[in-house]
Amino acid sequence: ARAHGLPLLSVIGDDGTLCPPGGGWLQGVPRFEARARVVAALAQRGLLRGVQDHAMTLPLCRYPQVSPRVSPPIA
């Protein structure tokens, strides 16, 4: 968003539920339940191509001067 001059939007609240602008029909729904509802809505409309698992990678920065918001790993 920053690279394109767009406003930063938060769609998941501190409590893990969706909040505006995350979708009025999903407001207040926990994020994992919201995922299931979105998949069901896409399937109902014939727009779902499929669902597959993927590995989530959370990179760690070993150089805090490059990315100050990420702590270095504990040795």
Side-chain angles (χ1 to χ4, degrees):
R2 287 186 195 134
H4 298 286
L6 300 171
L8 297 176
L9 304 175
S10 179
V11 296
I12 299 178
D14 292 336
D15 61 352
T17 61
L18 271 68
C19 56
W25 66 286
L26 293 172
Q27 187 172 346
V29 176
R31 66 184 185 273
F32 294 115
E33 184 180 330
R35 180 181 300 162
R37 289 187 188 190
V38 169
V39 169
L42 289 171
Q44 182 181 18
R45 290 168 176 79
L47 300 172
L48 183 66
R49 291 185 182 177
V51 177
Q52 68 184 59
D53 291 334
H54 68 280
M56 180 182 289
T57 304
L58 298 174
L60 294 175
C61 179
R62 295 179 189 264
Y63 305 99
Q65 67 274 16
V66 175
S67 181
R69 292 189 288 170
V70 178
S71 301
I74 298 172

